[in-house]
Amino acid sequence: MNNSNNKKKNNSDNKILMTIIISIIIVAITIYLDYINALKYPNIKVIKFNFDFLNIFVNSIVVITLYIITYFLVDKRNITQNNNKKEIANLLLKKSYISCLEYIDFLKKYEHRKIINKKVSGDEILGSNKIYKNLIAAPFENNDIISSFVQDGTTTKEQYENYLNVKEKFRMYINTIMLFPDKEEAINIYQDEIIQLVSSAIESLNKTEY
């Protein structure tokens, strides 16, 4: 992404420079033609007219040049802001994915799963359990910010779908751990699926950074 940002920055700078150079050339040619005109027709009162015209022309060129430079600077600033937002969005997505892997690594130990399982009462609805709600939400603490990046187009549909897939699979993983901590096979299947989804999602994010 840094290479892409540098190219965009250089293109914007080059456009501004070319605009200034072209404006200077146009003004210089106009002054030169005015001077030649004065030499060719010394007895005709064209000098005043030409200088009046030149004054208007130069002022117009200055205004147009300033407008174009301002346009490019604003465009350059917008590009920088958009790139910064994309970098932040990608960082937050990766943070969620890495957090999922850290929880998986922690919950690989049976004793840890058993402790969590004991926090669920026999007659309790899992969805109302505080520990459960905290666990499924923990890796996705920036969910609202990520959602806002989707709404303004910073995060792509594919990236958001990857995020939702990981989030849903992680929820199912925690469900299994809290209700059936002894079911190693089912837990391992969820672990492998989450690791695969996370790996694919991060790979997709990395491709957008170059």
Side-chain angles (χ1 to χ4, degrees), residues 144-187:
D144 290 343
I145 301 175
I146 291 171
S147 296
S148 70
F149 284 141
V150 177
Q151 292 173 7
D152 67 16
T154 302
T155 297
T156 66
K157 179 183 176 182
E158 179 189 355
Q159 290 169 346
Y160 192 54
E161 285 177 349
N162 291 339
Y163 172 76
L164 292 179
N165 288 337
V166 171
K167 188 177 178 182
E168 175 60 17
K169 192 66 67 175
F170 186 79
R171 183 190 66 78
M172 295 169 67
Y173 168 69
I174 296 299
N175 282 2
T176 305
I177 283 176
M178 293 198 73
L179 296 175
F180 312 106
D182 300 319
K183 293 200 172 186
E184 292 279 352
E185 185 177 352
I187 291 170

Side-chain angles (χ1 to χ4, degrees), residues 78-90:
N78 289 338
I79 289 172
T80 300
Q81 288 177 342
N82 288 336
N83 287 336
N84 288 342
K85 286 177 68 176
K86 286 180 181 178
E87 289 178 358
I88 292 170
N90 286 2

Side-chain angles (χ1 to χ4, degrees), residues 10-23:
N10 291 335
N11 288 338
S12 181
D13 292 341
N14 290 337
K15 287 177 182 178
I16 293 174
L17 182 60
M18 286 301 298
T19 301
I20 295 172
I21 292 174
I22 291 171
S23 300

